[in-house]
Amino acid sequence: LYILIPTLLLTACLKEEYVHNNFEEQLVVEGSIEQDGVAKVMLTLNMDFQEEMSEESLSDKIVKYAVVCVTDLDSNEKETLIGMIDKKYPTQYLYRGSRIVGRVGGRYRLDIEYSGRKWHATTTIPAPNDLYDIVTEPLYDSVFYRIKATIKPNAENLPYMIQCATAFTS
């Protein structure tokens, strides 16, 4: 009896199937402009979690035929980014600028036109934060290290800490 009841419960749970009919394809934008760097933007389409994942289905989600522009809002200079293959990025395809270079305090607008729709976003490059302290400590038999950096935010006087763990080869 003790074996039969859990088996029946497990079987009942396995027979249920979740049906998701509300999937809507959306544009996924990952972009950056950093101090002394040019704008870089990767565009993909999201995927329904029930969709079979393969190399072909993933490559079909990379957006290669969009119009991507960056505007420096301080000088009103506008640049159309060029789509190119770059194997250093996850999608291996990105839109890259060449003329507009990021600077601290700069304000930028990103405009995207794809498949008859338009999107835009704005950003700024904040001043660098002061680093108060940085400490490393070994984890997991010295294969991984925790890096703790304490920085001072620009807008407030209270320090805060950022932590990450990584493996070092030497």
Side-chain angles (χ1 to χ4, degrees):
L1 185 61
Y2 291 110
I3 296 172
L4 182 59
I5 291 174
T7 305
L8 289 174
L9 291 174
L10 182 60
T11 305
C13 291
L14 292 176
K15 288 182 181 177
E16 290 184 33
E17 219 177 278
Y18 179 74
V19 179
H20 180 52
N21 295 328
N22 297 335
F23 176 74
E24 183 181 339
E25 194 169 70
Q26 299 286 324
L27 183 68
V28 179
V29 180
E30 184 175 334
S32 67
I33 185 164
E34 298 177 356
Q35 180 180 345
D36 300 324
V38 296
K40 299 172 193 165
V41 177
M42 290 185 294
L43 300 176
T44 55
L45 299 172
N46 65 333
M47 222 172 156
D48 189 341
F49 77 93
Q50 294 181 8
E51 190 174 340
E52 185 177 324
M53 201 176 296
S54 67
E55 188 174 330
E56 183 179 327
S57 67
L58 289 174
S59 68
D60 288 344
K61 299 300 179 183
I62 299 169
V63 175
K64 296 181 180 176
Y65 303 104
V67 177
V68 182
C69 298
V70 170
T71 304
D72 182 331
L73 295 175
D74 298 319
S75 68
N76 214 25
E77 181 182 0
K78 186 174 183 176
E79 176 180 18
T80 301
L81 299 148
I82 305 297
M84 60 181 58
I85 294 172
D86 191 331
K87 297 193 182 233
K88 294 184 287 186
Y89 290 87
T91 61
Q92 297 189 4
Y93 189 88
L94 78 149
Y95 297 85
R96 181 188 297 257
S98 60
R99 289 191 338 263
I100 296 177
V101 176
R103 68 187 184 297
V104 171
R107 299 177 308 127
Y108 306 93
R109 177 181 166 115
L110 173 67
D111 289 286
I112 300 168
E113 190 172 334
Y114 174 71
S115 192
R117 295 180 64 191
K118 295 179 181 183
W119 297 266
H120 75 272
T122 57
T123 191
T124 62
I125 299 178
N129 291 319
D130 294 329
L131 180 63
Y132 281 156
D133 186 32
I134 189 163
V135 177
T136 61
E137 57 187 43
L139 299 172
Y140 314 116
D141 300 328
S142 300
V143 174
F144 288 92
Y145 288 81
R146 176 177 286 128
I147 301 169
K148 295 180 182 178
T150 306
I151 60 176
K152 177 183 174 185
N154 292 324
E156 302 170 10
N157 292 324
L158 299 173
Y160 63 93
M161 184 176 289
I162 298 172
Q163 293 187 44
C164 66
T166 187
F168 292 102
T169 57
S170 59

